[in-house]
Structures are given as C-alpha cells and as structure tokens.
Amino acid sequence: YQAGRDPAYQGARESGLVGEKADGYLGFVTPPSPAIKALVDDINIKRKAAYSKEALANGATVEEMALRSGCRLIAERTVAGEKYQTPGGQWKTRDAGKPELDSRCP
Amino acid sequence: MAGAMMCVISLGGIHLGYPFAIHRLFQDFFGSIKPLDANGIATPSPFPHLALMQDAADTDLPQVSAPEPFRGRRWKRIIFAAVALLFVSLLLIAWGQRNSIADRFVQSALESRDVRATYQIDQIGFRTQRIRNLVIGDPANPDLTAKQVEVDVALNFSGASLRDVRAQGVRLHGRYINGKLTFGELDKFADPESTEPFEWPDIGLEIKDATALIETPWGKIAAALNGKGLLRNRFVADLALRSSAIVASGCAAPLVKFDGKLLLEWRQPHLVGPLSAASISCNPLGLAISAPAFDVDVKLSEALNKWVGTTSFAAREVRYRNMLLKAASGRLSVDGGLSRTNFALALDSAALRSAPLTVPRLSLNAKGYAGVKNAEFALSARGDLGFKGGALDRGSLGSIQALVAGTRTMPVGPLMAQMAPALERTGDRFDANLDFDMFRDFQGRMGANVASFLLKSASGVQIRQNSPLSVQSSAAGWRIGAPVNLALSGRALPSATLSLRQSAGDQWSGNLVIAPYANGQARLAVPGLAFYGKPYGNWRFDGRALLSGPIPGGRVNGLNLPLSGRYDGKVFSLYDRCQSVRFDSLRIANFALRGQELRLCPDAGKAMLATGNGVTRFAAQMANFKASGSLGDAPLMVQSASIRFSLAEGFVARDVALEIGQADNFTKFALAALTGRFDSEGISGTLTGGAGKIGAVPLLIDEAAGNWRYLNNVLTLDSGLKVLDAEQVDRFEPMRVPDMMLTLENNIIRAIGNLVEPETSTRIAGLDIRHDLGNSNGRALLAVDNLRFDERFQPNLLTPLVLGVFANVDGIVSGDGRIEWDSQGVRSSGNVSTDGMNLAAAFGPVDGLTTQMVFTDLLGLETGLAQIATIASVNPGIPALNGTVRYQLLPDQQVRIESGRWPFAGGELILEPTILDFGVEKERRLTFRVVGVDAEKFLAGYDFQNLRVTGVFDGTLPMIFNQDGGRIVGGALISRPGGGEVSYLGELAYKDMGTFANFAFNALRSIRYTSLTIGVGGDLDGEIVTDISFTGLQQGSGAKQNFITKQLARIPIKFNVSVKAEFLKLIGSIRGLYDPSYAAERDLKFLIDQQKGEAPIPPEQLSTRKDEQKDE
Amino acid sequence: CVQVTAPDKPIVINLNIAIRQEILYKLAAASEKVIEENPEIF
C-alpha cells in the first residue's frame, strides 16, 4: 500500500475503478464519476510533470520516461486485485503471477 | 377623623389605595358610633360635639324624672326646690312676727315639725313683717340662715295669703345623699308623701345676697342669687353657680361656673348666661374638652323635665381618642325631654387634627333627635359635614414617586408622570363635604346613609360619590349596604369611576373603569378592572387596559393588555396563565411591527409579571412567534419557534427566521439560537447557527456564530461564519470568515472581514460588503494581496474548477474584485495578476507564467479582450520558451486564444486563434504556424556538435490536445527557396561499418538540398512519424567530391526518408551515430553492469542499487 | 542501390528508417527515482 495516497484514489484502485496503463499513466476501467475523473486527471497531470522533469534530466523523451515507469508501476507497484492494462489495451486484474508487460519493458 | 381618598392606576402595579381609604373614612367617620361597651357606659354620640353637648346637657339642664320627686341623682332640680322651700319658711316666720301669737304659732309650728330655729322678729306690721337673723338647723351648722326677711301678707276673704317676700343675706346648706336632696331641718316642712308635682308658690319674691351650698356625691356646688319678681308669673334673678369640681360617671369637670340669669316665665324656669368649666374630661370615653364655654338660653318645663332653647358653645380644645378639635364653636338648639329631644347642631368653626388628617376649618350641621332611656342613648340625625382646606400628612398616600419610577419605562410612564404630582398633592389641600343621614338605636344598632360626597383638591383632583351609599354596623362589624360609586376626575387626571361592594364576610368586590386619558405621548383606557378580596388581605383582579405610549427605544400603539393577577398586600403578581396580547403597532428604533396577537405563557410555571417593594420581575415565553413589519422602510418578517424572555436575564429565541427587503431579492437569515441581555447601554447577546443570504449577493452565509450589540440604533455583530457559492455548480469552495465585523445602521449593512481557506487557514482576501436593505442595492469588494500557492496550498482548495486542469501551482497571485448588485441584477469585475508562476497542465508543465487578467465578469470568470500572458516555458513535449499569448476568458470555462507567439530557433511559432473549452472533456485543436525557423538555431538548442543543418523552414503544426497531452496531426515543415545543407562534421563512431555504409556516409556526409519538407505527426512527447523528403540533392560543401558525386549532383534526386522515431530520439540517434559516448555510454555501461552485477555504481544511482537487483 | 544513369525523371529514393531503440534500460534508475520521490501520485 503506497503511503501518502489520497484515500479516494486508493479506494478507486482497490475497487478496480482505476488501473495502471502501460504508458505510465492511470486509466479508467469503468466510466468514472466526475469527482474520481478530476482526481485521476490531476494525478496524471502531476505524473506528466514529474516524467517531464525527469526526462529532461535524463535526455529522454517524456513518453520514454512514462513508458519505463509504467513497466515498473505495473510490475512492482500494483498489488493483487488491482487492475492493469495489457499492451493490447485489455484490463486485467493483477494476481500473484507476473503481469503481461509491454515488449519494451526490461 | 377622615382618611383621604386617593386613586392611583398603573399598568405595572395597581395601587388599590382607593377602596381602603374610603373604607377607613367610613370606619373612622362612623367608627365612633360603637355599640354599648361592656360596662354599660353610654357610648358617646357619633359626633364628638354632639356627645359633648349630650354630656353638658346631662350636667346642666334640670332633668326632672317625673315619678320620683327629689330622688334621682339629678341634683340640679333640688336646688330650685330648696329655694322654693326657703320662701315658704320665710312666710311662716313673718306671720309670727305679726304678733306674739303668730310668734308662738310659729314656734309651735316649728316645734310641731321639731324644727330648731331661732330668729328675731323685727317688725310685724299689718302688711309687712320683717324678721332678722333667722337660723334654722344646728346653729353650729345651720341649714338656713337669713339676715333679714320681710314678708308682705295679703288679706283676702279666704284669709291671709302671702304676697311678697323680700330676703337678704340668705345662706342655705343642702346635701344630696343616696339619691335625695336634704336641707337638714328644712326638710321637715315638705310633705314627705306628697305626690302631686312641685308647685311654685304664687308670691312675689325679692331676694338679695342669697347663697347656697349643696354637697353632692359629684362635688360641692355654691350658688349665689339676687333677683325679684312674681314666682308664678315673671321672676328674674341673677344666678351664679360655682363648683370646684363636678365628677359624674367617669367624667370630671373642675371649676364649673355659671353667671347668668334665672327667669321664671309663667312658672317655667329660663336660664340664660354663660356656663363654663376649666375642662371636662371623661377618661373611659377618651374625651377631654379644655375650656368649654356655653352661652345658655334654655327654657325648662315647670316640671323641669322638658326643655327648649339654644346654646352657643365653644372650647379651646376637644380631644376624643386620636382626634383633636381646636377652637371649636357653634350653636346647639334643643327642644324636648330626656327621652326625646329634637336638636339642631351647627359647628361652624373648628380645627380638626386627626393624624394623618388636619382640617383647618371643619363645619358640621346636623338636625335630628336623640334620647336617653335607662342609661342608653339613641340618636338620629341628618346633616352635612364640610372640610375646608383639609390636608393629609405627606406620605400618607403611599409613595407615588416609587410607582412613577417603576412605570417610567412602560407605556403608561408619561401618564403616571403627569398624574403623580396632581395625585400626590391631592392630600395637600382639599375641601370636602358629605351629606349624611345616620342613626343609633337603643340596642346599639348603628347605620348611616351618605347621600352625596364630594372632595375637591387644590391639585385639581375631584372625587364624587354618585349614588347614595349606606353603611350598617352589626355585631360582625361594618358592612357597606348600597355599593360605593366614586367618580374621580381632575385637570391632569383621567376620569375614573370606582364601584365598591361589600359581599359576605369582609370580602370586598368592585370594578374600576378609567375613561380614555391621554397626553401628548401616551394614551390609557381601562374598560373594566374587576377586583375582589379582603382589605389588608389578598386581592384578585381581572380586567383589560388599552394602552398606547413609549417603550424603551420606541413606542407601542393600541396595546390591548389583559390585567389578571393577584395582590397580597406587598407584591402584585400577574398572568399566572397564558395571555394573548394584541397591539396595533410596535416600534423600536427603526424596527416596526404591524398589529398582531402575541400569545405569552408563564415561564417555569411562575406568574409572568411580579412587581412589589421596588422589584419588578417579568419572565414569559412565546411559542411559534410570527410577526411582520418593517426595518426602516424595508419590509420585514420575523419568526421564531420559541422565545423565552425575562427582564433579568434577557431573551433566548430558538429557530429564528428573518426576511428583510423587497420580495424578489430580500435578505434572509435563519438562526439556530439568538440570545440577548438588557444592560445599561442597550441590548447585547449572541447568535449561533446563523445561515442566510444578503440580497442578490451570490454568496451563502452558513455556520455564523458570534456576539451582537444593539446600542442607540446601531446593531453591531462580530461573528465567524462560512461563505459558500450560491450557484448550483459551485465556483468556489466554502470559505471561512473568522472575523466578520457587521454593522446595521439606518438600513445600511456594512460588513468587513477576511476570507480564509478553512483547511490551511490561509488568508485569501479581504472582504468589504455594503448592502442597503431599503432598495436592496449593494456592493462587495475583494482584495487579494500576495496569495502564495505552494505544495501546501493548491488552488483546488479554493475552487473545484481547477482540479484535473492545473496542478502543482507555484506562484503568487494578487488582485481585487468588485461585485455590485441592484434591481437590474448582479455585475462583477476585477483584475488578477501573477508573476512568474509555475504550474502543470494536461499539456505539460508551464513555467514563468506572468499575466494580468482584467475581468469584465469576475464571477463568470470572463475577461476583456487581449489579456496578455508571457510564458517562460511550456513543455508539451518540446519546450517552447518565452511565449506570449493573447487570450480572453469566456463564460463557461472557455478560453479564446487570440494569438500566441513563441520565438523558435530564429523564427517563430505562431498559435492560430482558437477557443479552448476547459469546461468539457473533449479534444482541443491548436494550430501552430512555423515561420522562419532556422534549422541551425533549432539544432543548436540540442547540443549537437557534429551535425549542422542549415536552411530556413516555414510550415504548420496542427496539434490536438487531450487529457493525455498533445499530438501533431498532419504537420509539415517546408524549407524556404534556397534550400540548405545537412552535413555531419564528426567521424563515424563505428569504423568497421562496411564499404557501402562508408560510401553512403561519405556521400551523405554533406548533402545540399534545394527543398526539404518534413512531415510531422505523432505525440509531441512521444513518437513522431516524420516524412522527410529532400529534393535537389547535391553534395554539400563538406562532402568528398569525386567523379561520381559530381555526376550525381546534376541528377535531381528526391530522397524520401520516413523516420519513425521520437523527435528527440531521432536527434539522439543521429547523435548516437557519431557520438559513441552519448549513446553507448548510457546503454552499454548499463548492460555491462547488468551482466557483471557489481559494476561500480555511478553516484546518482546509489540509492536504487538494492532495488535493481531485486526486481530485474 | 544507386544507379548512375541519367534519367530525365528525378530519382526517387524512398528510405524508411524506423529507429526504434530499445533504450529503456537506461531509465530504470530514473523511473525508480520519479516513483520514490512522488509517492502520492503513483
């Protein structure tokens, strides 16, 4: 469980409303309520800002940074029961097994 | 003798002084008619003077009790009898003188009656016989002595008969013992058994220097007589009576003196002359008369048992019980006998002092009859009693000042203040008269009938008894028969009528009616106030008063106030049951209530109002109070679920609702609880749970709580409250105003305070509101100064519009806003500026935003045209620096971009006008025009030392932005005529790439093109598909030229290269081609580390060493 | 791939370069850092 998360965000993850996308951003598994949507958009904006800063510092593109982080987020930071998106765009529920990652993930 | 009459009516306390006073008056007035007290002493007559007269009559008028001669303790009669006897003895002596036979005859007569007598016969003539030195009785203590007696005898055919007698120097001594008057030896001449009434001898008598001494059980009486005349026809004598003291039946009269005339007119005694005594005092009766003096002129019947005559009387002082009459004088005429005497009494001047009453001139006229029968007396009299200049001691009317002070703050205040002086001075000087008719029978039954009673005070107060009033005394004490009907009127007084009735026992009941009475400020009417109770006991009263008048800070009109309650002699307590009170209008300062009915109920079971001995306590409660009225000229409606009010603690109102102002946009407030206390300056209190809206102000107030004070027409309120957006879709989050200072004065609400964000307590803006309740116009000023946004304080705390649009805001905002509202509606304007703000948006981070927005509609977030924003850098994927955007905020969260210019690699990126809609989740189209981009400058930004591209490009980059960022769709960059060169300045990193590659590289090392078009598409921050087509290729300046290449130079080669790579990566990979350190260093080293697993860690990656092993 | 005739028409060379570099390795540390430093948004 990631410390410091907004309870609503944590709740949305646990209830499978929201899941990690391969591209490093959060995606909506089911159409979200305005409140959840605004909250997730806000998180994605902050992720993009963080990726942009880090990408600039590493001479990589924002997308690269985001994609690489996405690999890690799905592999390491999603727990059983949470949702993640396969490279094919399909939402899967994480279980004990290895998640299906993007080909470019290490 | 008479208590004063006083009528005081007040809202708060009704001083039932009135009925007492009257009751006391009657009691005093008639009280002195008391039934026979225990030891049978005749109680004095109702009027002390009459009683006084009565006693005087007892002692002075001869009372012949017909059946028993000489007996009876009436000694007066005895004297005359003695005198008569004197004459008879003289007659005998004279006859003796005539000749010695006569002498012997006398002697024998004397001896036959065994009378010891000595005398000297001086001359016995034919007609006149004279003797000297007559002594009858014990010579040492003679009964009768006479110096010289001359007797004339008349001869007629029936013999000698006595004609005239002349005597000088007569001394008579008599005693009245055990009921009989004896003259010692002289008695022997009287015929003891004679039954026929006393008969005056038919003689002429002349008597000089005659004195008599009569000893009676009541004191010695000395008489001196000189007179002459025919006894049976006309006899005139000077009579002087002296007695050192006469004491009879408990009364004592020292130094009694009578110097007058005794006349016998046709055998009827007639006394004329002054009779006086040092004093008369009858202790059991409590009567003491000092220096009584009578001027008697009374005729008595021959049998001395009837009299007629008059006497004037005067006394320096008459004291009877607690009454004191001074300089009393008047006339009494009597006609009758002991059993019945008609009398007429006129007391024409007397000064009365009977605490607390003093009457300088008292007058009394009474006619009637009285009588005594076996020691009982009866009386019936009709007449009138008058007071001139009567006065009551100050304070006897009770302290009116306390009552005036008590009612000062009540509507009746002004009336009380006006009545008080008149009422207070009522008792100072007044005239009164009373027509009465009273009786007392032998059994002691007494009664009186007052036909009319009128009191006029110098202060203008008039009290009049309208209908006859009857009073009876019975064994059980006093009872008023006919009801008392008193009417009070006067210059400064209301005209009031009081009817009073005495029901069973000593229960009194009555009704007070006060006619409408007004002065400039107040009006009072008491249609009826019924009361019943016991004097000095408990009273109950029930009635209604109609009042208009001032109340603290305002005025009430047409107040219909019930008056129901009890009075226990000290404290009035009113309203022990719910009462409904109606009024036409009520105004306090500029707060006015229209007429309505309030239902007040006792609080905590105690009577609502209690006032007495200087303390007034009032506590009541009202359930669902509802009232409409106006505040200044703004209509007002007030409601409260329950109000508990008490004079001491103030009031507590629950669930209060207030609506002020015109119907369409009125100001309304709801309060959970409103408390108030009255103190010396004004009213202050607290309010909690306040919520409301001021006119058309688009703010809602909630959770207001604070303290308020109302002082000379100014309401001040210090309270904390919450402010919310009145719109359905909130434009801003609820704020707190911890320090709202609100004042309401002359219909103007002014409020200042600081708007604070509740969670972080950050001060957002200063707030200054002004609202005119009258016309519902007003304005609110907002002042934001240096509001700092940082990671602790983000805009989404202020407004929900920002979440999901902007984030990570870091910068300072200042500005001011103005909202105005009136009947036309609400208008708002303002300006907001920020300098160097950084934020993150969906399209990527923005740094160094500086703009000044001038809002034409602040609340609608609408700005004017051409707002200018400079942006240090925006990075939708490719950082664009130093941009300038001209924009306009439109309603519904839309932004019109009028223009945007970014200097870009020597040229410019120009954003085409477009409208972005942040309100709705949809893709936003932005088209960038590229103008004059110098390829060389563009690449310089990327630190490619070995690559050089020249040429100036124009083109368009249509972008589409959505939640995930921006992407280019159908972008194209076209080189300007004159083309440019692409050349690689460095060596190949991979020497061993093969001849063909080397050839191609050397050939392509430097290409000159005439036109280069680059097609751009794909995510800005990601993969960009770029179609590059060169036309007009020639070897560039740096290329190795040889034969082949020159040939080629002439061949127009169209070289379409489609590159599918991130734009950055595209450039990166090119660099990688020639810059081993750039590419390999980053990847190769990493790969090697991976395999060895313990490669030395570059410092910046130290922290993550352990994780990598774990998860790779 | 380069003919040396002198056709009258321009020589059209289509070169499709797809540069896809598997360069995700290098960002392992960076991605770790960005996640660690902003726990509340990951």
Side-chain angles (χ1 to χ4, degrees), chain B residues 876-913:
Chain B
I878 308 156
L881 310 179
N882 304 330
T884 306
V885 177
R886 196 183 296 277
Y887 63 94
Q888 179 188 12
L889 298 186
L890 297 176
D892 304 332
Q893 296 176 298
Q894 292 191 330
V895 179
R896 164 190 296 127
I897 306 295
E898 289 163 19
S899 75
R901 316 178 76 81
W902 279 264
F904 193 67
E908 247 188 337
L909 262 181
I910 299 173
L911 177 57
E912 296 292 324

Side-chain angles (χ1 to χ4, degrees), chain B residues 452-746:
Chain B
S452 86
F453 166 77
L454 172 65
L455 182 141
K456 283 208 209 83
S457 158
S459 73
V461 174
Q462 268 200 2
I463 300 174
R464 176 192 313 281
Q465 156 76 3
N466 289 340
S467 62
L469 159 72
S470 75
V471 179
Q472 279 92 26
S473 97
S474 67
W478 276 97
R479 281 185 40 65
I480 286 193
V484 173
N485 276 319
L486 287 177
L488 170 87
S489 61
R491 257 198 324 282
L493 290 177
S495 63
T497 58
L498 172 78
S499 72
L500 201 57
R501 190 170 308 101
Q502 192 172 14
S503 51
D506 56 5
Q507 281 292 342
W508 291 73
S509 70
N511 192 2
L512 172 70
V513 173
I514 300 180
Y517 166 67
N519 66 9
Q521 298 164 308
R523 228 180 90 79
L524 163 71
V526 176
L529 178 66
F531 52 87
Y532 35 92
K534 276 212 289 291
Y536 308 109
N538 292 336
W539 292 82
R540 273 198 71 77
F541 51 87
D542 204 356
R544 181 165 294 282
L546 305 177
L547 290 168
S548 297
I551 49 176
R555 182 178 174 77
V556 66
N557 283 331
L559 177 65
N560 186 328
L561 187 69
L563 299 171
S564 84
R566 292 187 310 282
Y567 175 64
D568 65 0
K570 284 191 296 305
V571 172
F572 283 98
S573 65
L574 281 89
Y575 312 134
D576 42 18
R577 289 186 320 283
C578 287
Q579 300 288 338
S580 62
V581 179
R582 264 200 328 280
F583 58 86
D584 292 346
S585 72
L586 174 75
R587 185 180 57 72
I588 296 178
N590 48 19
F591 170 75
L593 282 186
R594 266 195 298 279
Q596 60 174 287
E597 183 159 308
L598 299 182
R599 184 123 183 89
L600 285 95
C601 288
D603 186 33
K606 292 206 289 295
M608 279 196 257
L609 176 68
T611 173
N613 34 47
V615 172
T616 300
R617 189 183 60 72
F618 177 75
Q621 54 160 327
M622 278 184 277
N624 40 55
F625 167 81
K626 185 169 185 345
S628 60
S630 68
L631 181 67
D633 44 24
L636 165 81
M637 192 283 295
V638 188
Q639 246 173 330
S640 166
S642 88
I643 298 180
R644 289 187 56 231
F645 175 87
S646 113
L647 214 53
E649 291 107 25
F651 65 86
V652 175
R654 297 241 174 279
D655 304 336
V656 180
L658 276 163
E659 281 175 18
I660 315 167
Q662 267 65 22
D664 42 9
N665 56 13
F666 45 69
T667 296
K668 63 179 170 54
F669 278 105
L671 303 170
L674 177 70
T675 72
R677 287 179 61 78
F678 299 97
D679 51 34
S680 49
E681 290 107 18
I683 315 175
S684 63
T686 66
L687 64 85
T688 51
K693 185 171 187 300
I694 298 181
V697 178
L699 307 177
L700 291 182
I701 293 174
D702 197 9
E703 293 175 23
N707 303 316
W708 61 276
R709 165 170 292 283
Y710 181 78
L711 183 60
N712 39 50
N713 280 349
V714 176
L715 175 70
T716 54
L717 170 65
D718 307 334
S719 88
L721 50 89
K722 224 166 92 171
V723 176
L724 306 98
D725 190 349
E727 288 296 315
Q728 250 53 37
V729 176
D730 282 355
R731 288 163 298 184
F732 54 85
E733 298 291 346
M735 297 287 159
R736 264 200 67 68
V737 181
D739 55 358
M740 165 72 81
M741 250 286 291
L742 181 142
T743 64
L744 169 61
E745 188 178 3
N746 309 339

Side-chain angles (χ1 to χ4, degrees), chain A residues 7 18-19 25 27 48 66 69 76 90 99:
Chain A
V18 163
Y25 295 97
K48 182 175 197 99
S69 304
E76 298 160 16
Q90 201 206 2

Side-chain angles (χ1 to χ4, degrees), chain B residues 1068-1106:
Chain B
S1069 56
I1070 295 172
R1071 183 171 170 187
L1073 292 178
Y1074 58 79
D1075 181 352
S1077 65
Y1078 177 70
E1081 182 206 329
R1082 281 183 303 154
D1083 294 349
L1084 201 57
K1085 206 153 56 54
F1086 180 78
L1087 284 175
I1088 294 160
D1089 300 343
Q1090 288 302 356
Q1091 272 111 34
K1092 282 194 207 118
E1094 77 294 342
I1097 309 298
E1100 81 277 11
Q1101 293 178 353
L1102 189 59
S1103 66
T1104 59
R1105 179 79 187 89
K1106 120 168 114 354

Side-chain angles (χ1 to χ4, degrees), chain B residues 996 1023 1048 1051-1061 1065 1069 1082-1083 1086-1087 1101 1104 1107-1108 1111, chain C residues 1-3 5 7-21 23 25-26 28-29 32 36:
Chain B
F996 171 71
E1023 199 162 314
L1048 286 179
I1051 303 166
I1053 299 174
K1054 190 166 177 23
F1055 192 48
N1056 293 337
V1057 178
S1058 159
V1059 181
K1060 197 178 189 63
K1065 250 166 59 179
S1069 56
R1082 281 183 303 154
D1083 294 349
F1086 180 78
L1087 284 175
Q1101 293 178 353
T1104 59
D1107 298 344
E1108 273 170 4
D1111 56 37
Chain C
C1 66
V2 172
Q3 290 101 2
T5 60
D8 47 7
K9 291 201 305 352
I11 301 167
V12 176
I13 304 167
N14 288 331
L15 184 62
N16 284 333
I17 304 171
I19 300 168
R20 186 179 309 291
Q21 243 180 346
I23 51 166
Y25 299 107
K26 65 178 172 60
E32 182 66 39
E36 286 305 326

Side-chain angles (χ1 to χ4, degrees), chain B residues 784-796:
Chain B
V784 177
D785 50 5
N786 296 337
L787 177 58
R788 159 164 289 288
F789 289 107
D790 51 27
E791 64 283 347
R792 205 176 52 75
F793 182 70
Q794 277 303 296
N796 56 3

